[in-house]
Amino acid sequence: MPEKRDLVSTEGALPKHIAFIMDGNGRWAKKRLMPRTYGHREGVKSLKKIISRVSELNIPYATFYAFSTENWNRPEEEVTELMRLFDEQLDDLVNYQSENIRLRFIGDRSALDKKLSEKMGYYERETAGRTGTTACFAINYGGRDDIARCLRSLSLQLRDGFLRPEDISEGLISSLLDTGGIPDVDLLVRTGGEKRISNFLLWQLAYSELYFCDCLWPDFDESELELALESYSGRQRRFGRV
Ligand code: FPP
């Protein structure tokens, strides 16, 4: 494990799109004899630090896995608190960091509270013209669900004669996924010690570099991000070539 050290400007290649599985909030809180929801609140502080740093580094896209399609199975009060946290924090984020952050959301909004999903749509439209980092939040997101919804939309277009089977290309599929218009992920960071993808951006991670660390998400800060970026810049990406 490289040593943690003072922040230095990152040299070498930076990812254009970095994605985060923010794992470990519950364990972080448990260690402090606090409820899991306290861990999520602290996790928002890390999220904001990381958005600031990613924006300073001019990384164009950062995606955060905030709530998966499977997370509905958590205790009701945890789900309610997470939804409340999104609702409250989105207002903060929209005015955040010289107001130049563009907000995007991925995931199936139909199951979300109507007011929350309207707010998400409104903030997307309001921030669409901004030129800074796009902060993309995955809420009620599942990689398989993303692909299934894309297939459903393709089938309707085929059925109604707007598409021919030979029109279906990788590019078309990418454009119809929730991340349409956003480049594939270059670097995936997962905190919390587990080494799995957990149904995150399955199509979009095809050629991503993966970085796993033991640090729990509320402890993930700028210097931890630096370690992930250093690891990324030292890797040779071959995309199937030699
Ligand atoms: C995983 O940790 C974390 C989550 C399921 C929620 C992450 C959400 C946030 C940090 C808030 C995001 C806020 C906005 C505004 C998008 P865990 O609870 O599974 O941790 P554990 O593995 O230790 O139990």
Side-chain angles (χ1 to χ4, degrees):
M1 269 294 275
E3 286 294 305
K4 253 194 179 188
R5 50 190 171 74
D6 288 344
L7 271 182
V8 289
S9 68
T10 305
E11 288 174 13
L14 283 174
K16 280 198 174 62
H17 185 179
I18 183 167
F20 297 91
I21 300 181
M22 309 181 280
D23 200 12
N25 294 344
R27 278 166 283 162
W28 188 92
K30 195 173 172 202
K31 274 199 202 168
R32 289 158 180 81
L33 307 176
M34 296 295 279
R36 298 175 53 79
T37 48
Y38 177 68
H40 297 316
R41 282 210 160 264
E42 288 300 307
V44 172
K45 293 184 187 165
S46 295
L47 175 89
K48 288 179 169 172
K49 279 186 215 163
I50 296 309
I51 293 180
S52 285
R53 184 64 183 142
V54 160
S55 155
E56 272 169 21
L57 291 169
N58 291 318
I59 293 176
Y61 299 94
T63 299
F64 299 89
Y65 206 3
F67 194 88
S68 75
T69 45
E70 290 74 34
N71 285 154
W72 296 106
N73 298 320
R74 294 190 172 212
E76 197 185 326
E77 64 271 22
E78 184 174 346
V79 171
T80 307
E81 175 60 15
L82 275 168
M83 293 297 158
R84 216 172 58 77
L85 206 54
F86 301 148
D87 193 65
E88 163 196 302
Q89 294 299 320
L90 293 183
D91 297 335
D92 210 27
L93 282 165
V94 83
N95 296 314
Y96 193 53
Q97 254 272 323
S98 68
E99 303 187 9
N100 204 25
I101 305 279
R102 188 185 308 164
L103 299 186
R104 257 297 278 269
F105 300 95
I106 58 172
D108 181 0
R109 297 181 202 187
S110 65
L112 300 177
D113 174 74
K114 194 160 170 275
K115 274 201 173 144
L116 176 62
S117 88
E118 280 172 4
K119 182 183 271 192
M120 285 156 55
Y122 176 70
Y123 284 165
E124 276 182 330
R125 292 190 297 278
E126 279 289 293
T127 62
R130 294 186 184 174
T131 53
T133 296
T134 296
C136 177
F137 299 101
I139 300 181
N140 192 25
Y141 181 85
R144 289 183 171 185
D145 182 60
D146 193 2
I147 293 169
R149 284 185 286 110
C150 164
L151 287 179
R152 231 172 278 142
S153 128
L154 276 177
S155 336
L156 291 178
Q157 295 187 53
L158 284 168
R159 185 195 66 186
D160 297 340
F162 296 117
L163 267 185
R164 295 162 304 166
E166 57 271 32
D167 295 329
I168 297 177
S169 62
E170 292 188 14
L172 180 67
I173 294 173
S174 293
S175 73
L176 292 174
L177 291 170
D178 287 347
T179 44
I182 296 180
D184 280 350
V185 176
D186 298 304
L187 172 64
L188 172 76
V189 173
R190 180 177 187 140
T191 60
E194 310 287 356
K195 295 183 176 62
R196 49 177 180 256
I197 303 300
S198 298
N199 199 19
F200 200 23
L201 306 155
L202 298 178
W203 174 277
Q204 302 86 336
L205 289 173
Y207 285 103
S208 307
E209 295 296 327
L210 307 178
Y211 180 87
F212 299 101
C213 61
D214 290 332
C215 166
L216 303 176
W217 178 254
D219 291 327
F220 194 84
D221 60 8
E222 296 88 342
S223 58
E224 289 288 344
L225 176 68
E226 197 73 20
L227 293 177
L229 293 174
E230 268 178 25
S231 164
Y232 174 80
S233 69
R235 298 187 196 183
Q236 215 192 3
R237 302 184 75 198
R238 294 209 297 269
F239 298 98
R241 296 185 292 263
V242 288

